[in-house]
Amino acid sequence: MSKKACVLLAPGAEEMEFVISVDVLRRGDVNVIVAGIPNSSTIKCSRQVNIVPDCSLADATSKGPYDVIVLPGGLGGAQALSKSEEVGKLLKEQDSAGRLIAAICAAPTALKAHGIGFGKNITSYPSVELQLTEGKNYTYKHDKVVVDGNIVTSQGPATAFDFALKLVDILQGNKKACDVAKAMLMTY
Amino acid sequence: MSKKACVLLAPGAEEMEFVISVDVLRRGDVNVIVAGIPNSSTIKCSRQVNIVPDCSLADATSKGPYDVIVLPGGLGGAQALSKSEEVGKLLKEQDSAGRLIAAICAAPTALKAHGIGFGKNITSYPSVELQLTEGKNYTYKHDKVVVDGNIVTSQGPATAFDFALKLVDILQGNKKACDVAKAMLMTY
């Protein structure tokens, strides 16, 4: 059965981190659904690129469970993900079942807002490090991609390819991740 | 007066190359218009990400001229750009005025289709090298980004950040390109 990913898309999402995640996962033969927050209307991203989700978050949730839920960064996007009760419910179910949750850039702040991954190693965009370490809920690492159990975190635009390829590696194996990287003219 | 870019978005465009170009140029304070081909309807990209252009190509053309016209890759997208007479007309006007034209991945094939940049150094995604060198219209280089006069070309997803940062460098200066790179956690 093919692996399934749900990528959350909220207004103010960083469009490069969003698109690289979706594109690389699809190149890795992962079945990706783009869930719009709050609904399936066109989303204006952080640099004004307008993207149409595949469906609303409610629709996406009804089609789960997913092997991974991906949270792209962007300050506005991360704040919207932090404030959404629906997102909190989805992440808590995903976490308690031990399935993967992946967040990049500012999006680890949404994990904190919903009480996800406490006690684990994480990383993020540098500007939100203090917000994440306050309260000592996490051990903060300065690595491009950090994997700790079911929580995968990463730093920002420059590490978005590494982040997405790591997810392909975990879900589909190292050979598939290397093949996808090669077709994009990079190494993994 | 602020610099202006027109990024062409056709069905089958490589969404990472498209989004990285738009996002990085906007981070570099370039005024970017996304022109939909054939019109302003939602465009399905190469990995099924749905993006809404800012306007149709005809509307974008009426708002020109642009300091740079950017052609993202993706085989389907490049074919659509190659076949469009409107795109050919816009590129020929841009070229004869000596203004920048930038193409990445498979998109240099659209330059060839419209007779743009003959005699110049170019690069592309490896799979279209033969198509570009046939007829000896170009000198082919195996570099990440090739600048020859007003023609900028690049290889593919792995080089999309270098490609977009080079455009910021040319339009806004080296310091701006370095600042944009730093905020994305990379060096330029």
Side-chain angles (χ1 to χ4, degrees):
Chain A
M1 223 173 67
S2 76
K3 300 284 181 173
K4 289 168 67 180
C6 179
V7 181
L8 306 182
L9 180 63
E14 215 303 320
E15 44 271 73
M16 298 187 292
E17 294 165 356
F18 164 76
V19 161
I20 291 170
S21 297
V22 173
D23 189 320
V24 171
L25 283 165
R26 285 182 174 156
R27 283 169 181 256
D29 298 328
V30 175
N31 185 355
V32 179
I33 280 195
V34 176
I37 292 154
N39 54 44
S40 60
S41 303
T42 300
I43 301 284
K44 190 177 280 295
C45 294
S46 66
R47 270 78 192 179
Q48 290 78 55
V49 173
N50 295 302
I51 298 177
V52 185
D54 296 327
C55 63
S56 69
L57 178 58
D59 276 358
T61 300
S62 74
K63 290 172 189 162
Y66 295 94
D67 296 285
V68 63
I69 294 174
V70 182
L71 291 75
L75 217 54
Q79 284 168 351
L81 298 178
S82 296
K83 284 178 193 160
S84 164
E85 285 179 27
E86 256 183 309
V87 169
K89 190 164 172 287
L90 180 67
L91 292 178
K92 279 167 195 156
E93 284 171 11
Q94 184 80 358
D95 192 41
S96 56
R99 292 188 300 264
L100 279 182
I101 296 171
I104 183 166
C105 196
T109 60
L111 302 189
K112 184 172 182 185
H114 297 298
I116 301 294
F118 283 2
K120 289 200 160 76
N121 296 313
I122 61 157
T123 193
S124 72
Y125 192 75
S127 68
V128 297
E129 175 176 349
L130 214 66
Q131 186 181 340
L132 287 165
T133 51
E134 193 179 36
K136 302 190 195 306
N137 301 119
Y138 302 105
T139 303
Y140 198 88
K141 301 284 181 184
H142 295 96
D143 300 318
K144 286 185 177 181
V145 182
V146 175
V147 182
D148 190 347
N150 67 321
I151 306 294
V152 182
T153 50
S154 187
Q155 295 177 325
T159 66
F161 281 110
D162 302 282
F163 172 68
L165 286 166
K166 175 62 78 181
L167 298 179
V168 173
D169 183 356
I170 295 171
L171 296 174
Q172 307 282 49
N174 186 264
K175 189 188 176 303
K176 175 64 84 177
C178 292
D179 288 349
V180 169
K182 193 177 173 193
M184 298 192 300
L185 311 178
M186 58 185 75
T187 51
Y188 175 74
Chain B
M1 223 173 68
S2 76
K3 300 285 180 173
K4 290 168 67 181
C6 178
V7 182
L8 306 183
L9 180 62
E14 215 303 320
E15 43 270 74
M16 299 188 292
E17 294 165 356
F18 164 76
V19 161
I20 290 169
S21 298
V22 173
D23 189 320
V24 171
L25 284 165
R26 284 182 174 155
R27 283 170 179 256
D29 298 329
V30 175
N31 185 356
V32 178
I33 280 195
V34 175
I37 291 157
N39 53 45
S40 60
S41 303
T42 300
I43 300 284
K44 190 176 281 296
C45 294
S46 67
R47 270 78 191 178
Q48 289 77 56
V49 173
N50 295 302
I51 298 177
V52 186
D54 296 328
C55 63
S56 68
L57 178 59
D59 276 359
T61 300
S62 74
K63 291 171 188 162
Y66 296 94
D67 297 285
V68 62
I69 295 173
V70 182
L71 291 73
L75 218 53
Q79 284 169 351
L81 298 177
S82 297
K83 283 178 193 159
S84 164
E85 284 180 28
E86 257 182 308
V87 169
K89 191 165 172 288
L90 179 67
L91 292 178
K92 279 166 197 160
E93 283 171 11
Q94 184 80 356
D95 192 42
S96 56
R99 292 189 300 265
L100 279 180
I101 296 172
I104 184 167
C105 196
T109 60
L111 302 189
K112 183 172 182 185
H114 296 299
I116 301 293
F118 284 2
K120 288 200 161 76
N121 296 312
I122 61 157
T123 193
S124 72
Y125 193 74
S127 68
V128 297
E129 175 176 349
L130 213 65
Q131 186 181 339
L132 287 165
T133 51
E134 194 179 35
K136 302 189 193 308
N137 302 118
Y138 301 106
T139 302
Y140 198 88
K141 301 283 181 185
H142 294 97
D143 300 318
K144 286 184 177 183
V145 182
V146 174
V147 182
D148 189 347
N150 67 320
I151 306 293
V152 181
T153 49
S154 186
Q155 294 177 325
T159 66
F161 282 110
D162 303 282
F163 171 69
L165 286 167
K166 176 62 76 179
L167 297 179
V168 173
D169 183 355
I170 295 170
L171 295 174
Q172 307 282 49
N174 186 263
K175 190 189 174 305
K176 175 63 85 177
C178 292
D179 288 349
V180 169
K182 194 178 173 193
M184 298 192 299
L185 312 179
M186 58 185 76
T187 51
Y188 175 73

